[in-house]
Amino acid sequence: ETGVTQTPRHLVMGMTNKKSLKCEQHLGHNAMYWYKQSAKKPLELMFVYNFKEQTENNSVPSRFSPECPNSSHLFLHLHTLQPEDSALYLCASSQVWRDRGGEAFFGQGTRLTVV
Amino acid sequence: ELKVEQNPLFLSMQEGKNYTIYCNYSTTSDRLYWYRQDPGKSLESLFVLLSNGAVKQEGRLMASLDTKARLSTLHITAAVHDLSATYFCAAGPMDSNYQLIWGAGTKLIIKP
């Protein structure tokens, strides 16, 4: 099993659809993240969960809704997205940096296209 | 507010040459990371730098951190084609245990 697994790898959805992205980590980390990577933009942190509790939310539109049922799983629920939301969505996990350096391990990403 | 600036943003070089990518950050940070991303792929951790003067090396890549200058460098020695990728640095703000602020990335192309 790879460390951080994301599904699906590719997703095309209409603006009225509802879909979910899934992330699972097998590294025993206590923090999980959703990042958005758009062309020609720095990586943007969307949400952070620490021990299942959301600790940071970087002013993400409500059409993105995270869910963290346990410390190994993370979901990103999508609804009524806009074409500008098309991007690569990356999940990552880490330990608190003061414990083990905070190195983040990333999943393979979901390439999302909103039509 | 912590900001991270990488330069150059694009670098094309010949195999066998040496070069350095620079990562400057605007305010105090206690951790600095380097990642590699191949086209269409995810990010792979390369180095974690946690103290002033830290130097880490892996193969032809060497990273260093100068917290006083707020500068990290990624040095490439005798580049080979396989090192072609986009390289990102990221720094952690002092007021967050989890947040990372990312540079825009340096796209490195190494020609045979």
Side-chain angles (χ1 to χ4, degrees), chain A residues 27 59 91 104:
Chain A
L27 300 169
S59 303
C91 173

Side-chain angles (χ1 to χ4, degrees), chain A residues 10-19 78-87 89 111-115:
Chain A
H10 301 273
L11 178 62
V12 179
M13 60 186 288
M15 289 190 283
T16 58
N17 291 160
K18 288 184 182 181
K19 296 286 184 183
L78 316 170
H79 64 97
T80 58
L81 294 191
Q82 304 298 309
E84 60 264 29
D85 295 322
S86 298
Y89 289 83
R111 174 67 64 185
L112 174 66
T113 304
V114 181
V115 297

Side-chain angles (χ1 to χ4, degrees), chain A residues 9 30-31 33 35 37 42-43 45 48 50 55-56 58 88 90 94 96-98 101-104 106-108, chain B residues 30-31 33 35 37 40-48 50 88 93-100 102-104:
Chain A
R9 295 291 304 279
N30 58 15
Y33 311 74
Y35 280 92
Q37 187 177 35
L43 210 58
L45 177 65
V48 180
N50 172 29
T55 55
E56 297 189 34
N58 288 357
L88 181 67
L90 291 162
S94 77
V96 174
W97 81 270
R98 293 180 195 281
E103 185 180 12
F106 285 81
Q108 292 300 307
Chain B
D30 43 16
R31 56 198 193 280
Y33 306 85
Y35 286 82
Q37 186 176 35
K41 301 289 180 67
S42 189
L43 281 81
E44 174 191 357
S45 176
L46 294 175
F47 300 109
V48 178
L50 301 176
F88 293 90
M94 297 294 287
D95 59 353
S96 171
N97 283 326
Y98 302 98
Q99 171 81 286
L100 288 179
W102 293 80

